[in-house]
Amino acid sequence: MNIRQAKPADATNVAPLVYAAIHDIAYSLTGTKQKEQVLERLAMWIGRPANRLSYENIWVAESEGTIAGIIIAYAGMDARKLDEPIRQWLMEAGETGELDVETEGDVFYIDSVAVDSQFGGRGIGTKLINSVIEHARSKHIPVVTLNVDQTNPAAARLYERLGFYKQKEIEISGGRFDYMVLDL
């Protein structure tokens, strides 16, 4: 298995994994609930630079020549700036452009993690998370954060095993999430 930075050409292969990871949040970010349009619009954002979903913020795990998993992560200080193109696009499309604040400050934020179901149980998610933690260390960012859906206790247990702890609860796109922190 190889972990590498995503490329614009990966967009259509990465979009379904992003959709699997963020569920209802995908509807907020794309302005639609129709799965085909959601996937097209996610791929559009993944293929563009300088936004939350950009290939620039995505690492992929390749196994057997296939993208087996993805992780999206970026500096918390950049979160609002990375949301701005999406917010503007949504407003131009007649949507409110309201996006929930998921993180901020001097942290490295793990936005999303997903592993293709055919590659489950191989530790790919853990390897992706650990690679992002090492990236944050190399950039001297003191904290890694993430949000875990309160309806996903298995994910919360994984993050706790990796050293994350719950700092607070927040709401994102109508769902309740635990904001978890790993001090480096």
Side-chain angles (χ1 to χ4, degrees):
M1 185 191 57
N2 176 44
I3 295 176
R4 64 168 174 81
Q5 190 76 45
K7 300 177 247 181
D10 295 324
T12 55
N13 293 322
V14 169
L17 289 170
V18 173
Y19 180 62
I22 65 176
H23 311 290
D24 291 346
I25 299 168
Y27 307 137
S28 299
L29 294 174
T30 61
T32 185
K33 290 190 177 190
Q34 302 208 357
K35 186 176 180 181
E36 187 175 308
Q37 282 187 321
V38 169
L39 292 173
E40 287 172 7
R41 292 175 185 178
L42 288 173
M44 173 190 75
W45 288 115
I46 293 163
R48 292 182 179 179
N51 73 83
R52 168 204 298 220
L53 300 172
S54 173
Y55 63 91
E56 297 168 321
N57 302 318
I58 300 175
W59 288 262
V60 299
E62 286 182 316
S63 181
E64 303 164 20
T66 302
I67 294 178
I70 59 101
I71 190 165
I72 301 174
Y74 45 85
M77 289 183 191
D78 295 338
R80 290 185 191 273
K81 177 178 71 176
L82 292 170
D83 278 349
E84 194 55 33
I86 298 170
R87 186 181 338 276
Q88 288 296 321
W89 184 87
L90 286 167
M91 289 189 307
E92 289 168 12
E95 300 291 325
T96 65
E98 294 289 322
L99 297 176
D100 294 315
V101 175
E102 297 182 22
T103 192
E104 58 192 354
D106 193 15
V107 303
F108 204 66
Y109 176 62
I110 296 175
D111 182 292
S112 308
V113 181
V115 175
D116 187 309
S117 59
Q118 68 179 337
F119 293 96
R122 300 185 193 180
I124 293 171
T126 300
K127 289 174 184 161
L128 285 163
I129 293 165
N130 283 332
S131 71
V132 163
I133 291 169
E134 287 309 310
H135 179 79
R137 276 193 179 105
S138 75
K139 299 288 185 187
H140 306 289
I141 300 174
V143 177
V144 176
T145 63
L146 56 84
N147 288 300
V148 62
D149 191 323
Q150 290 181 344
T151 65
N152 192 351
R157 285 190 299 275
L158 167 64
Y159 301 136
E160 287 169 353
R161 277 197 310 274
L162 294 172
F164 288 85
Y165 61 90
K166 177 180 172 179
Q167 186 178 71
K168 61 185 175 182
E169 294 181 18
I170 67 170
E171 185 175 312
I172 304 171
S173 297
R176 297 295 303 163
F177 290 76
D178 291 338
Y179 185 79
M180 300 185 77
V181 173
L182 175 69
D183 298 311
L184 300 182

